[in-house]
């Protein structure tokens, strides 16, 4: 391991490894204090950031933060590194990469070509020395487009996951939320349910219900029940209509093992999904969720700071060409991201790092009820991420998930972001909304249709 020394005036600091520099250079957050890896004060943090800025990018290829022999995610990162793609920036330091990313030379095409040449650790490192405006400026240059039954991630567009969760998976309650969301133009990323129970039979019934709605109204979108990958594989074997295969992932082998998964199991799920051939425009069919603090919460972080662990999860996601990836940024709780400021910074970091690695990134802009955060904080993060070019956000009735018991973004929040920032749904979904008189163009902006389309009025009457 390398050691690094930084002197500022009469004081000097010594960092005994790259892992230590990375951790102490991170903006302050409760999870790193909980893990005992954070800088002791602002002066040490600045010293670590100055040290990190001077480290050559090539150094990240010779010093693994988690040993190659111990961790399959490290092996995936090192073995999959594209040295030819890395060549244009291989002479740079971390600070030099920041300057280049902010330059006009780093345009959309250049950043797309660079993505396979960057490791998660390089990307995490440069994010630690960037301001909020830097994270936004670079991320908005990058478009990562994915396709299944529609096209997600195009410039000027922002999709939503319609999340119709119900505490008992009651079909009428789920259907009511779906219709409500559709009437506000939500659901082009996915109509995705977190099931209250994880029985395969129950999962299959929810999948059949979602498929029936999509088929009945000819909606150009995809469905997902967010169950364990093994349950999705079993549902496929039973003949259930599985569109997207879901799994929560993390950035270390040990953390993934705590989720009951491995890279080989994810590959099995990916191949099972491909065998369905249900996509009409493309075959991006994996849906992954991540979140800062997941490795630490499983005691599987190996002394690595939580933001770097999070970024390593994007290497796992990238391997399987996903349709959707999102950071559930404030969901794990204040032990890891204490307040609104930490949640906002983390959401922007996650989006920047994922996009730079070529991952189609969304965000569940959320917080738990015991965090020092409120809906104003979420409005700020929503607005910043919309400006930064986020692929998708969540749409939940009233912004309050009655099954998972946390606060997130509502159907109305998506309308706000689209109207204020001039963003539109996925093109195929936008055309469907216009045909159904749900949303239409007026004065260059999307407006809600009026009255409620007859086909939905009848459906709502049946539910009542």
């Amino acid at each position: 391991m390398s050691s690094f020394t930084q002197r500022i005036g009469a004081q000097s600091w010594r960092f005994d490894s790259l892992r230590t520099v990375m951790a102490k250079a991170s903006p302050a957050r409760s999870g790193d204090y909980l893990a005992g890896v954070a800088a002791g004060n602002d002066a040490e943090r600045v010293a670590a950031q100055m040290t990190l800025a001077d480290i050559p990018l090539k150094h990240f290829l010779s010093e693994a933060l988690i040993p190659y022999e111990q961790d399959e995610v490290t092996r995936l990162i090192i073995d999959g590194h594209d040295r030819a793609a890395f060549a244009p920036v291989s002479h740079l330091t971390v600070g030099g990469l920041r300057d280049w990313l902010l330059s006009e030379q780093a345009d959309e095409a250049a950043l797309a070509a660079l993505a396979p040449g960057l490791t998660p650790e390089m990307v995490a490192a440069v994010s630690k020395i960037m301001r909020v405006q830097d994270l936004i400026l670079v991320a908005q240059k990058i478009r990562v487009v994915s396709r299944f039954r529609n096209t997600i991630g195009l410039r000027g567009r922002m999709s939503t996951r319609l999340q119709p969760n119900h505490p008992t998976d009651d079909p009428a309650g789920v259907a009511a939320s779906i219709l409500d969301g559709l009437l506000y133009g939500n659901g082009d990323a996915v109509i995705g349910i977190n099931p209250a129970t994880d029985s395969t039979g129950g999962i299959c019934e929810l999948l059949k219900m979602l498929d029936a709605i999509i088929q009945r109204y000819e909606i150009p979108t995809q469905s997902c029940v967010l169950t364990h990958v093994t349950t999705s594989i079993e549902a496929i074997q039973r003949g259930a209509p599985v569109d997207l295969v879901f799994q929560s992932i993390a950035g270390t082998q040990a953390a993934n093992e705590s989720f009951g998964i491995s890279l080989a199991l994810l590959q099995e799920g990916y191949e099972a999904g491909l065998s369905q051939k249900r996509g009409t425009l493309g075959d991006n069919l994996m849906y992954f969720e991540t979140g800062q603090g997941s490795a630490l919460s499983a005691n599987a972080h190996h002394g690595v700071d939580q933001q770097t662990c999070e970024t390593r999860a994007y290497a796992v996601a990238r391997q399987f060409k996903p349709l959707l990836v999102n950071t559930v940024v404030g969901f794990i709780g204040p032990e890891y991201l204490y307040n609104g400021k930490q949640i906002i910074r983390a959401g922007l970091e996650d989006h920047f790092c994922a996009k730079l690695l070529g991952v189609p990134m969304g965000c569940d802009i959320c917080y738990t009820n015991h965090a020092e955060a409120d809906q104003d904080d979420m409005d700020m993060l929503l607005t910043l991420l919309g400006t930064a070019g986020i692929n998708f956000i969540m749409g939940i009735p009233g912004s309050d998930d009655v099954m998972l018991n946390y606060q997130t973004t509502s159907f109305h929040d998506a309308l706000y972001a689209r109207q204020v920032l001039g963003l539109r749904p996925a093109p195929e979904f936008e055309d469907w909304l216009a045909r159904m008189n749900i949303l239409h163009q007026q004065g260059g902006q999307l407006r809600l249709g009026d009255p409620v389309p007859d086909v939905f009025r009848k459906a709502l009457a049946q539910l009542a």
Side-chain angles (χ1 to χ4, degrees):
M1 284 190 179
S2 304
S3 62
F4 306 88
T5 302
Q6 183 64 239
R7 187 174 183 85
I8 304 176
Q11 190 169 1
S12 63
W13 287 265
R14 179 181 173 84
F15 307 104
D16 60 10
S17 67
L18 180 60
R19 179 170 57 203
T20 303
V21 175
M22 292 276 282
K24 293 186 181 296
S26 292
R29 62 205 58 197
S30 51
D32 290 337
Y33 288 115
L34 179 65
V37 301
N41 51 50
D42 288 340
E44 185 180 23
R45 181 172 296 107
V46 169
Q49 289 172 339
M50 292 174 66
T51 301
L52 185 60
D54 289 335
I55 294 175
L57 293 177
K58 288 180 179 178
H59 188 89
F60 290 85
L61 300 176
S62 60
E63 183 175 348
L65 303 189
I66 302 173
Y68 182 93
E69 299 76 17
Q70 297 178 16
D71 188 274
E72 68 173 358
V73 178
T74 298
R75 294 193 290 275
L76 174 68
I77 292 167
I78 298 299
D79 295 347
H81 181 245
D82 187 332
R83 289 185 178 270
F86 178 58
V89 299
S90 62
H91 62 289
L92 296 177
T93 62
V94 173
L97 177 61
R98 173 189 177 273
D99 293 342
W100 182 82
L101 290 171
L102 294 169
S103 73
E104 293 181 0
Q105 287 72 35
D107 58 16
E108 183 174 345
L111 291 168
L114 178 63
L118 295 175
T119 68
E121 291 83 356
M122 295 175 192
V123 171
V126 75
S127 76
K128 296 176 191 297
I129 61 169
M130 299 180 83
R131 293 170 56 184
V132 162
Q133 66 174 254
D134 299 338
L135 298 173
I136 293 171
L137 177 60
V138 176
Q140 64 83 31
K141 296 195 243 184
I142 305 169
R143 307 314 303 176
V144 183
V145 178
S146 57
R147 294 177 175 87
F148 190 75
R149 291 201 189 100
N150 56 25
T151 307
I152 299 170
L154 296 170
R155 187 168 298 279
R157 297 183 183 270
M158 183 189 73
S159 297
T160 62
R161 170 188 162 191
L162 202 171
Q163 185 170 309
N165 293 347
H166 191 278
T168 63
D169 291 339
D170 177 66
V174 171
S177 292
I178 292 173
L179 289 173
D180 189 22
L182 290 171
L183 288 170
Y184 284 99
N186 283 248
D188 49 338
V190 64
I191 302 175
I193 302 173
N194 297 92
T197 60
D198 207 31
S199 73
T200 304
I203 299 300
C204 289
E205 290 306 308
L206 288 173
L207 286 165
K208 291 174 184 176
M209 174 189 176
L210 292 176
D211 185 60
I213 292 172
I214 289 172
Q215 298 301 325
R216 176 178 177 181
Y217 299 115
E218 299 179 334
I219 309 170
T221 190
Q222 38 281 326
S223 69
C224 185
V225 176
L226 282 68
T227 186
H228 195 271
V229 62
T230 54
T231 307
S232 292
I233 293 170
E234 186 176 350
I236 289 171
Q237 292 170 345
R238 292 189 184 188
V242 176
D243 287 344
L244 305 187
V245 176
F246 170 81
Q247 183 57 50
S248 294
I249 57 173
T252 73
Q253 178 178 334
N256 283 326
E257 287 172 350
S258 76
F259 291 151
I261 62 168
S262 64
L263 296 179
L265 182 57
L266 292 177
Q267 182 67 33
E268 184 181 347
Y270 176 55
E271 291 173 0
L274 286 175
S275 73
Q276 299 288 86
K277 296 182 171 61
R278 292 179 60 82
T280 55
L281 295 184
D283 59 4
N284 302 121
L285 55 82
M286 299 299 285
Y287 177 12
F288 295 120
E289 286 189 346
T290 68
Q292 288 194 28
S294 58
L296 175 58
S297 69
N299 195 28
H301 61 295
H302 297 271
V304 176
D305 68 272
Q306 67 179 35
Q307 189 256 338
T308 301
C309 282
E310 166 72 6
T311 306
R312 284 168 54 94
Y314 307 151
V316 176
R318 181 170 62 177
Q319 177 72 8
F320 300 100
K321 304 176 181 63
L323 180 76
L324 309 169
V325 179
N326 72 276
T327 169
V328 194
V329 65
F331 183 74
I332 303 181
E335 300 85 358
Y336 307 95
L337 295 170
Y338 179 70
N339 56 19
K341 181 176 181 178
Q342 291 187 10
I343 291 171
I344 289 168
R345 170 79 195 192
L348 293 169
E349 287 170 349
D350 294 351
H351 177 247
F352 163 87
C353 290
K355 285 288 187 64
L356 202 50
L357 289 167
V359 171
M361 196 64 173
C363 184
D364 191 342
I365 301 163
C366 64
Y367 63 101
T368 56
N369 289 310
H370 60 310
E372 290 294 320
D374 59 25
Q375 214 63 37
D376 284 343
D377 295 312
M378 300 306 102
D379 285 349
M380 285 188 280
L381 181 53
L382 168 61
T383 306
L384 293 171
L385 284 172
T387 304
I390 194 79
N391 277 30
F392 69 102
I393 62 168
M394 304 297 129
I396 287 126
S399 74
D400 184 352
D401 192 300
V402 296
M403 196 278 282
L404 292 174
N405 246 343
Y406 77 116
Q407 310 304 312
T408 179
T409 46
S410 71
F411 302 144
H412 302 77
D413 293 334
L415 284 178
Y416 149 76
R418 284 171 171 167
Q419 181 172 341
V420 169
L421 300 175
L423 300 171
R424 297 157 64 183
E428 302 84 0
F429 192 76
E430 182 181 15
D431 290 345
W432 178 82
L433 292 171
R435 290 198 306 273
M436 301 298 289
N437 194 36
I438 295 172
L439 286 181
H440 58 90
Q441 286 283 344
Q442 180 180 322
Q445 291 189 330
L446 288 172
R447 302 294 186 189
L448 283 173
D450 186 39
V452 174
D454 285 342
V455 66
F456 285 148
R457 188 187 302 277
K458 293 175 182 177
L460 289 168
Q462 290 173 357
L463 288 170

